[in-house]
């Protein structure tokens, strides 16, 4: 399973997001420290989940980071993310 | 530096600087786009801040991740409180929340 697929699977299990976008941006960091041949080191997420309701930005990102603990300790060098509640996403 | 010494060094930095940024590289020569983005925002707001290059010391680099249970760098602290990493600082800035937040915390800003 690719790293992107594992990210998707773990976030689906942890947060049941309404929308989940997982973008591999490793090509933007080619040659940079932490980049690996084959990519899958730098990701950008957009997660829309009711689980974020009433939570601070830090708390929301902590939920995502906790779900991806193994990936962050391993192949994932950088993880950028937008964490939105369904109503925030609708207002965008 | 061992883990305890790193924790103490991080705590001392956070306590000594109203605004403290743990980053990769230095404000003059950031070595990571995410760190560079936070420096740019702080400079734009005219905030004076302390910084620590985590690439210079692996114990600090690992320690700061444990310090706030936050796995990524950069990390911004204001008056001893962990505020967030690049995404959060960028979002607060873009939504116009960062300046009032810093003002409320009593951080000196260049007047716009």
């Amino acid at each position: 399973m690719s790293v992107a697929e594992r990210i998707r699977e773990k976030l689906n299990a942890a947060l049941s997001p309404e929308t989940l976008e997982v973008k591999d941006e490793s090509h933007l960091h080619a040659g940079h420290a932490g980049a690996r041949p084959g990519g899958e080191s730098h990701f950008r997420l957009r997660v829309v989940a009711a689980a974020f309701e009433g939570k601070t930005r830090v708390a929301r990102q902590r939920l995502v980071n906790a779900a991806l603990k193994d990936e962050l300790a391993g192949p994932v060098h950088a993880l950028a993310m937008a964490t939105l509640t369904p109503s925030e996403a609708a207002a965008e | 530096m061992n883990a305890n010494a790193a924790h103490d060094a991080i705590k001392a930095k956070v306590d000594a600087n109203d605004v403290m940024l743990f980053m990769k590289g230095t404000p003059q020569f950031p070595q990571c786009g995410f760190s560079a983005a936070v420096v740019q925002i702080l400079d734009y707001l005219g905030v004076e801040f302390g910084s620590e290059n985590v690439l210079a010391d692996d114990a600090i680099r690992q320690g700061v991740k444990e310090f706030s249970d936050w796995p990524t760098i950069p990390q911004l602290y204001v008056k001893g409180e962990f505020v967030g990493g690049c995404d959060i600082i960028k979002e607060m800035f873009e939504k116009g929340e960062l300046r009032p937040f810093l003002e409320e915390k009593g951080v000196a800003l260049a007047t716009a």
Side-chain angles (χ1 to χ4, degrees):
Chain A
M1 202 188 296
S2 72
V3 178
E5 282 165 349
R6 283 214 305 272
I7 290 176
R8 197 170 275 288
E9 195 166 86
K10 290 197 174 171
L11 289 179
N12 277 327
L15 299 170
S16 313
E18 216 169 70
T19 311
L20 173 58
E21 289 166 23
V22 180
K23 222 161 108 191
D24 185 347
E25 295 193 330
S26 307
H27 60 285
L28 300 177
H29 305 268
H32 161 90
R36 293 174 303 128
E40 299 226 283
S41 57
H42 293 64
F43 287 91
R44 178 172 297 276
L45 311 177
R46 186 172 183 275
V47 191
V48 180
F52 296 144
E53 214 80 60
K55 292 200 163 61
T56 63
R57 293 187 177 99
V58 168
R60 293 174 187 195
Q61 292 210 5
R62 277 196 210 283
L63 287 177
V64 173
N65 289 333
L68 303 178
K69 195 169 181 287
D70 295 342
E71 283 65 32
L72 281 162
V76 175
H77 173 76
L79 191 63
M81 65 181 96
T83 51
L84 307 165
T85 63
S87 56
E88 286 165 355
E92 263 196 347
Chain B
M1 206 188 291
N2 67 29
N4 277 337
H7 183 279
D8 291 348
I10 292 162
K11 176 95 173 65
K13 289 272 179 191
V14 167
D15 287 344
N17 295 277
D18 279 359
V19 181
M20 179 66 205
L21 180 65
F22 291 88
M23 64 179 290
K24 292 183 178 175
T26 63
Q28 289 73 30
F29 296 102
Q31 292 183 48
C32 155
F34 301 108
S35 289
V38 174
V39 168
Q40 219 176 5
I41 289 170
L42 294 175
D43 283 347
Y44 180 85
L45 293 175
V47 182
E48 271 192 43
F49 61 98
S51 72
E52 178 81 3
N53 177 7
V54 303
L55 298 179
D57 189 327
D58 210 50
I60 297 284
R61 184 177 181 173
Q62 291 314 315
V64 78
K65 296 180 183 181
E66 284 151 29
F67 187 74
S68 289
D69 184 27
W70 195 260
T72 52
I73 289 149
Q75 294 185 11
L76 186 72
Y77 295 81
V78 175
K79 299 256 173 172
E81 179 199 338
F82 173 61
V83 182
C86 179
D87 298 314
I88 290 175
I89 301 307
K90 257 167 85 175
E91 205 176 306
M92 288 175 77
F93 176 66
E94 283 161 6
K95 298 207 163 145
E97 295 170 19
L98 191 57
R99 179 186 289 273
F101 171 79
L102 292 168
E103 282 169 350
E104 198 178 299
K105 293 276 175 186
V107 172
L109 302 171
T111 42

